[in-house]
Amino acid sequence: MGTSADDAAAEFHDFFERHYAELARLAHLLTGEADAADDLAADALLALWHRWDRVRTARHPAAYARGVVANLARSRIRSAVRERRRIALFWDRRPEHTDDPDIPAVVDVQGALRRLPFRKRACVVLRHAFDLSERETADTLGISVGTVKSQTSKGMARLEQLLGSRTAASQLVGGRK
């Protein structure tokens, strides 16, 4: 039994030596991040090692390994996109100067937004203040398009209740009345 484990370890070591550079290059081309490439290749090979009994009997182990790298790269890219969009929520992207802003209405809208549950607030802000599509909002928040639609609708309805009119809610889109 020890020989079989030794054989598997030797096979994996050989596989690692032959394919690590290729997998790292693939990761680099997929993500555009040289620093992340080595980490992704190493993570992929670690995942392969944990499943080595299945991988070594696969028809094309190198193709399987490339698929693992591609999936890890896709996850990394999605995470980075979500993180950038989350950060965007917290930074004001409006122009520095607005002619005659309606300060009380802006304060009212901000207060009303704070009263919404996070998911409704995030949907309303991303859709109306950042003008993201339903799909972009769903991807940013990691939820379905249907959830974005319902949460945005319910959030806007609640804002109208809190603010008393749609006119005040229009402050979300940059101070227009």
Side-chain angles (χ1 to χ4, degrees):
M1 187 160 168
T3 341
S4 179
D6 290 343
D7 289 345
E11 283 178 14
F12 180 78
H13 184 266
D14 181 53
F15 183 88
F16 181 96
E17 292 295 325
R18 283 184 291 128
H19 297 286
Y20 178 78
E22 169 197 349
L23 296 173
R25 188 171 68 244
L26 174 63
H28 180 231
L29 291 171
L30 291 174
T31 63
E33 300 176 33
D35 295 341
D38 286 331
D39 291 343
L40 288 172
D43 289 347
L45 285 161
L46 179 61
L48 292 173
W49 172 244
H50 288 296
R51 298 182 200 97
W52 188 243
D53 286 341
R54 281 187 285 163
V55 175
R56 71 194 280 210
T57 59
R59 188 173 256 177
H60 301 289
Y64 185 88
R66 286 190 290 272
V68 171
V69 168
N71 287 334
L72 290 171
R74 180 180 19 252
S75 294
R76 182 178 183 88
I77 290 165
R78 285 179 177 164
S79 293
V81 167
R82 280 193 302 271
E83 183 62 22
R84 279 193 293 271
R85 288 182 176 158
R86 282 184 194 117
I87 290 169
L89 284 173
F90 299 104
W91 292 99
D92 187 4
R93 299 179 130 196
R94 289 175 290 166
E96 290 295 318
H97 176 72
T98 305
D99 294 330
D100 301 324
D102 185 351
I103 301 298
V106 171
V107 170
D108 289 347
V109 170
Q110 289 173 343
L113 280 171
R114 279 192 294 276
R115 292 180 63 188
L116 294 178
F118 177 78
R119 186 178 283 178
K120 284 183 179 77
R121 182 179 348 137
C123 287
V124 167
V125 168
L126 289 171
R127 292 283 293 128
H128 294 284
F130 285 83
D131 200 29
L132 294 184
S133 70
E134 290 167 343
R135 166 58 42 211
E136 291 170 324
T137 301
D139 290 345
T140 299
L141 299 174
I143 59 178
S144 73
V145 171
T147 301
V148 169
K149 289 178 182 182
S150 75
Q151 294 293 294
T152 302
S153 175
K154 290 174 184 176
M156 288 302 292
R158 181 67 178 134
L159 282 178
E160 288 179 33
Q161 285 177 340
L162 293 169
L163 297 168
S165 75
R166 195 148 179 84
T167 304
S170 71
Q171 292 298 315
L172 279 171
V173 291
R176 293 188 294 254
K177 287 186 180 182

